[in-house]
Amino acid sequence: SYVLTQPPSVSVAPGQTARITCGGSNIGSKSVHWYQQKPGQAPVLVVYDDSDRPSGIPERFSGSNSGNTATLTISRVEAGDEADYYCQVWDSSSDHYVFGSGTKVTVI
Amino acid sequence: EVQLLESGGGLVQPGGSLRLSCAASGFTFSSYAMTWVRQAPGKGLEWVSAISGSGGSTYYADSVKGRFTISRDNSKNTLYLQMNSLRAEDTAVYYCAKDRRPTVTTVGYFDYWGQGTLVSVSS
């Protein structure tokens, strides 16, 4: 089955840039989507189709996808961005949706 | 406004059954595929099952195939998950989520989520 690998944690100072990676075999050929989940809350879609943002999501959130790595970038990080972030794709070989293992972003 | 409201969670013994429901409103329910995602305590998100808008196509994670059944009643705007032969490892918060299109596709994602319902499997 298809595996998506994320770093368990990323720490970033306020105002700096956080980059969260999502590794997978030839992931650049897939559409990658990203979710933010704060404690006790349901996930929220923050980036879809590699780099598009739903309405209401700040421009500070951006995405890219190439080769074996997709990246979610959070610019000018704020305390409110502290959350878990998950990448997600569709695996055609198994007809399964797949989530990454998740990355906890801590604003230090 | 899109709303998804899960219900039916609770405490069940190993080997038991439970049926979850997800009442949808604020969109044309039959026009969108729907999915169930679960999250064990302190763990990450795990996709469980998906169903097309018509109900004609269903998909299951290997961990639940043969034990869980996804279905929908478009006349009632409600999604279901029938869970049989429950195991301790099925303990999780179960979320229903709306897909972007009527069918499950290679570019599918989940643009709206419910708040979840907790299922605990324990003796």
Side-chain angles (χ1 to χ4, degrees):
Chain A
S1 60
Y2 194 76
V3 176
L4 295 174
T5 301
Q6 298 182 235
S9 62
V10 167
S11 296
V12 59
Q16 299 304 304
T17 298
R19 293 179 179 86
I20 305 160
T21 58
C22 176
S25 178
N26 198 26
I27 195 174
S29 67
K30 300 180 181 297
S31 287
V32 180
H33 321 292
W34 293 89
Y35 302 87
Q36 175 193 70
Q37 186 181 33
K38 296 181 179 180
Q41 298 184 19
V44 172
L45 180 71
V46 293
V47 166
Y48 66 94
D49 291 349
D50 299 340
S51 59
D52 290 335
R53 279 185 316 278
S55 60
I57 300 300
E59 291 183 5
R60 301 184 298 103
F61 289 83
S62 62
S64 62
N65 184 20
S66 179
N68 293 315
T69 304
T71 303
L72 174 69
T73 301
I74 311 173
S75 303
R76 302 180 300 283
V77 166
E78 303 174 356
D81 298 330
E82 199 163 88
D84 294 325
Y85 292 84
Y86 297 89
C87 55
Q88 174 252 311
V89 301
W90 171 259
D91 176 28
S92 298
S93 64
S94 61
D95 279 353
H96 286 14
Y97 283 117
V98 180
F99 284 98
S101 47
T103 298
K104 181 176 182 61
V105 170
T106 300
V107 180
I108 54 178
Chain B
E1 178 192 7
V2 172
Q3 290 193 335
L4 299 170
L5 184 61
E6 303 95 337
S7 61
L11 176 62
V12 61
Q13 292 187 337
S17 298
L18 214 53
R19 188 177 84 154
L20 306 183
S21 300
C22 171
S25 61
F27 65 103
T28 305
F29 183 66
S30 61
S31 294
Y32 295 94
M34 298 292 294
T35 211
W36 287 98
V37 175
R38 69 184 181 184
Q39 187 169 36
K43 302 298 184 182
L45 301 176
E46 179 188 13
W47 172 75
V48 173
S49 182
I51 187 169
S52 62
S54 67
S57 297
T58 57
Y59 307 81
Y60 297 94
D62 294 345
S63 58
V64 306
K65 195 168 187 176
R67 301 187 298 123
F68 290 12
T69 302
I70 191 171
S71 62
R72 62 193 296 160
D73 186 337
N74 286 343
S75 68
K76 296 182 178 180
N77 290 348
T78 303
L79 174 72
Y80 302 101
L81 186 67
Q82 177 67 44
M83 304 185 296
N84 298 331
S85 303
L86 283 162
R87 306 166 180 167
E89 54 264 36
D90 295 319
T91 294
V93 173
Y94 285 72
Y95 296 98
C96 68
K98 171 186 168 291
D99 208 318
R100 68 185 297 186
R101 292 182 179 176
T103 55
V104 174
T105 69
T106 60
V107 295
Y109 61 76
F110 315 120
D111 49 7
Y112 292 94
W113 297 64
Q115 284 305 303
T117 187
L118 176 62
V119 172
S120 296
V121 184
S122 174
S123 54

